[in-house]
């Protein structure tokens, strides 16, 4: 395999002096859940990161094409974010909402300034699963209804309610978790019944939500929850107009509309700050995590004052949500996105990469589909373009090939046959060209 040259980095990593990868693996096997999984036949141990690059214990550098796990929005150890965290860590690490602290309010103000319409009230929690669980509570309490609709091929979290909203057998344990949840057809223009050449696909897919309301629920629902682009499901981009039609059906049945922006938010789609804006809708509740904290445990739910009011009926409290350190980090992340024009960068480089992927598709038969928006992109691999049989083993091999050449990417979809990439939004043109060259080589060497 030819190894394309990884663009240079000025950062000099510290020599790694900790336990070996073998020792760490042994500790993990003995003391951690046997249910967790590792990427790669020979696991990678990452020990340092700077912006779009990460280093393993041997000093090998990689371009982080998956951005942690779609969490590193502005760059590993971004100096502005580190400075904000350090300053707060040295002053007061912990406080909760039972006392006043400036950080949480200042962060909320900045976050609310990014939201459209009446979405101005912020709740802070620690993970995407918790954020979706809270949004679900809001929807049920506000509407007085119980039934919820989410989409097949969705991932919304690993807690009990998250598992209910998720619709991928891989992530669902065999315990009761889905009372009141119904899963509509995934509006997947590549695999679903209505393709990209159908201008009315959005409306047609949305009709399934109406069917669920009419046939599977009491006719009144608490709400609808969807990712704006399905991430874990393999970067599925909905047809234009889909959410608009769905929101009409949902609101007519008394429900609220929830956008899960855990992966697609914070400028990653390039054209817009929020993924739902690409579908020209304004939700009633928005959940966010991952990129909001550039890798630190921070998540949020933003809603309208009207919906927030119903949560005053009882106490809602979250011990760590919005603590002074994570609030300082969250605000710093938003400042970096603005100051460094990272949304614009996502748009420019996303277009460039997608155009490059389309060229690769004409060259490598195994590429069934390329898709995505901005820097949230996917390549779906199939054994045969007519039958679309998923090429799962080949996808795993592409990941291995890319790793060898210094590029880390992820995989998604129920069958694990879609390469996913969502690099930190600070990548440059040379990084984008490197990724394309690596993919070309990885496919050529399958
Ligand atoms: C779209 C989406 N929602 C929710 C979650 C759950 O977030 P967390 O793992 O922080 O609980 C994820 C995690 O991958 C996600 O991708």
């Amino acid at each position: 395999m030819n190894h394309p040259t990884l663009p240079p980095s000025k950062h000099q990593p510290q020599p790694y002096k900790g336990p070996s990868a073998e020792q760490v693996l042994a500790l993990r096997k003995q003391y951690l859940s046997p249910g967790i999984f590792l990427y790669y036949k020979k696991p990678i141990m990452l020990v340092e990161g700077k912006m779009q690059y990460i280093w393993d214990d041997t000093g090998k550098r990689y371009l982080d094409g998956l951005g942690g796990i779609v969490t590193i929005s502005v760059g590993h150890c971004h100096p502005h974010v580190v400075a904000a965290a350090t300053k707060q860590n040295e002053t007061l690490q912990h406080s909760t909402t039972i006392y006043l602290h400036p950080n949480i309010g200042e962060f909320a103000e900045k976050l609310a300034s990014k939201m459209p319409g009446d979405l101005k009230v912020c709740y802070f929690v620690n993970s995407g699963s918790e954020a979706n669980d809270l949004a679900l509570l809001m929807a049920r309490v506000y509407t007085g209804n119980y039934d919820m609709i989410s989409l097949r091929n969705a991932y919304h979290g690993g807690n009990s309610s998250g598992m209910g909203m998720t619709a991928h057998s891989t992530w669902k344990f065999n315990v009761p978790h889905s009372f009141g949840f119904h899963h509509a057809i995934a509006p997947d223009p590549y695999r679903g019944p209505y393709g990209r050449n159908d201008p009315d696909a959005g409306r047609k897919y949305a009709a399934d939500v109406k069917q669920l309301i009419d046939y599977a629920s009491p006719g009144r629902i608490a709400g609808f929850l969807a990712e704006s682009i399905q991430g874990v499901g393999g970067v599925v981009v909905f047809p234009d107009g889909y959410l608009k039609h769905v929101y009409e059906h949902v609101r007519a049945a008394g429900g609220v509309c929830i956008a899960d922006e855990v992966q697609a938010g914070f400028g990653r789609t390039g054209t817009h700050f929020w993924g739902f804006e690409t579908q020209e809708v304004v939700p009633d509740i928005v959940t966010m995590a991952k990129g909001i904290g550039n890798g630190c445990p921070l998540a949020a739910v933003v809603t309208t004052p009207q919906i927030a009011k119903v949560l005053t009926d009882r106490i809602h409290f979250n011990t760590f949500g919005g603590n002074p350190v994570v609030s300082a980090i969250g605000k710093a992340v938003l400042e970096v996105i603005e100051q460094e024009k990272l949304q614009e960068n996502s748009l420019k480089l996303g277009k460039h990469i997608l155009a490059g992927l389309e060229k690769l598709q004409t060259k490598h038969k195994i590429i069934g589909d390329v898709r995505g928006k901005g820097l949230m992109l996917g390549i779906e691999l199939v054994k045969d373009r007519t039958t679309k049989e998923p090429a799962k083993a080949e996808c795993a091999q592409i990941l291995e090939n890319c790793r060898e050449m210094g590029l880390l990417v992820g995989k998604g979809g129920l069958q694990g046959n879609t390469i996913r990439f969502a690099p930190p939004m600070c990548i440059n043109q040379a990084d984008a060209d490197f990724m394309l060259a690596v993919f070309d080589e990885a496919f050529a060497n399958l």
Side-chain angles (χ1 to χ4, degrees):
M1 232 167 2
N2 279 327
H3 282 211
T5 308
L6 186 59
S9 160
K10 288 196 188 104
H11 182 73
Q12 274 300 324
Q14 303 281 326
Y16 175 71
K17 297 199 180 101
S20 69
E22 290 70 28
Q23 287 168 321
V24 171
L25 186 60
L27 282 176
R28 180 174 154 127
K29 280 192 175 150
Q30 192 168 355
Y31 295 110
L32 299 185
S33 154
I36 52 180
F37 63 92
L38 281 160
Y39 266 12
Y40 306 113
K41 288 179 193 145
K42 184 174 183 302
I44 302 184
M45 183 157 82
L46 298 173
V47 295
E48 199 162 327
K50 190 73 186 171
M51 303 307 282
Q52 65 271 49
Y53 303 116
I54 29 184
W55 284 261
D56 71 12
D57 52 325
T58 68
K60 179 174 162 112
R61 181 162 60 97
Y62 303 86
L63 175 62
D64 187 1
L66 189 56
I69 186 139
V70 204
T71 32
I72 304 298
S73 42
V74 300
H76 287 276
C77 297
H78 188 290
H80 185 63
V81 178
V82 172
T86 307
K87 184 167 166 236
Q88 191 54 49
N89 265 321
E90 288 172 350
T91 321
L92 179 71
Q93 285 188 310
H94 175 74
S95 177
T96 72
T97 48
I98 64 170
Y99 303 110
L100 290 178
H101 191 279
N103 288 13
I104 188 168
E106 285 172 10
F107 175 39
E109 182 185 32
K110 182 107 192 127
L111 186 59
S113 77
K114 296 283 176 198
M115 306 297 306
D118 217 11
L119 291 161
K120 295 295 168 215
V121 185
C122 306
Y123 291 76
F124 295 108
V125 292
N126 312 285
S127 68
S129 305
E130 261 188 279
N132 284 331
D133 184 63
L134 177 57
L136 173 68
L137 174 74
M138 286 176 179
R140 286 181 168 159
V141 175
Y142 177 69
T143 61
N145 299 330
Y146 187 68
D147 288 61
M148 282 292 299
I149 298 177
S150 57
L151 299 179
R152 293 189 195 147
N153 198 41
Y155 183 81
H156 294 294
N159 55 356
S160 184
S161 61
M163 241 189 273
M165 294 180 259
T166 292
H168 258 194
S169 52
T170 341
W171 306 99
K172 280 172 168 300
F173 281 88
N174 194 9
V175 294
H177 49 57
S178 293
F179 298 117
F181 290 109
H182 311 282
H183 299 104
I185 290 175
D188 178 348
Y190 179 61
R191 287 199 174 267
Y194 315 114
R196 289 204 187 101
N197 50 5
D198 183 343
D200 210 18
R203 189 185 59 79
K204 290 178 180 166
Y205 281 115
D208 193 50
V209 170
K210 173 77 174 125
Q211 292 267 316
L212 284 179
I213 293 169
D214 289 347
Y215 290 99
S217 85
R220 305 288 295 166
I221 59 168
F224 168 86
L225 167 75
E227 297 159 88
S228 303
I229 294 177
Q230 293 186 323
V232 172
V235 197
V236 172
V237 181
F238 306 153
D240 288 345
Y242 172 69
L243 285 182
K244 246 187 186 175
H245 290 290
V246 169
Y247 279 23
E248 279 168 21
H249 295 314
V250 170
R251 287 175 173 149
V256 296
C257 299
I258 308 171
D260 178 333
E261 290 283 323
V262 168
Q263 295 203 17
F266 296 91
R268 184 163 286 288
T269 59
T271 49
H272 299 81
F273 198 81
W274 301 110
F276 60 77
E277 291 174 306
T278 65
Q279 285 268 323
E280 297 176 1
V281 291
V282 179
D284 306 296
I285 304 174
V286 180
T287 62
M288 37 192 108
K290 291 191 189 267
I292 188 176
N294 198 41
C296 88
L298 169 61
V301 182
V302 183
T303 189
T304 63
Q306 209 186 351
I307 294 178
K309 206 161 165 237
V310 297
L311 255 74
T312 57
D313 193 32
R314 290 287 184 282
I315 291 175
H316 176 262
F317 179 74
N318 190 292
T319 300
F320 298 117
N323 86 45
V325 179
V326 294
S327 294
I329 291 175
K331 183 163 162 269
V333 168
L334 290 173
E335 286 162 357
V336 173
I337 295 172
E338 274 171 15
Q339 283 159 15
E340 299 183 5
K341 300 198 179 333
L342 295 185
Q343 182 186 322
E344 291 81 343
N345 197 47
S346 294
L347 180 64
K348 185 178 124 202
L349 293 179
K351 271 189 183 162
H352 177 70
I353 298 173
L354 195 57
L357 294 180
E358 281 162 4
K359 276 192 200 140
L360 291 184
Q361 188 180 15
T362 61
K363 195 167 161 190
H364 304 286
K365 277 209 176 66
I366 194 162
I367 302 182
D369 193 32
V370 297
R371 56 189 179 239
K373 281 189 190 291
L375 290 177
M376 186 166 176
L377 297 163
I379 312 173
E380 181 156 351
L381 307 192
V382 291
K383 287 184 194 286
D384 179 303
R385 284 189 180 173
T386 312
T387 64
K388 299 186 182 171
E389 185 187 343
K392 184 177 176 174
E394 292 82 350
C395 188
Q397 188 56 46
I398 292 288
L399 259 65
E400 296 285 349
N401 291 359
C402 290
R403 173 238 172 114
E404 203 185 312
M405 290 180 274
L407 172 66
L408 303 185
V409 288
K411 57 187 168 159
L414 185 64
Q415 304 297 332
N417 65 313
T418 298
I419 299 163
R420 292 201 287 152
F421 46 115
M425 296 187 285
C426 58
I427 61 162
N428 57 40
Q429 180 83 26
D431 296 316
D433 289 333
F434 170 75
M435 276 195 211
L436 291 169
V438 168
F439 283 134
D440 194 15
E441 196 64 25
F443 282 111
N445 283 278
L446 251 188

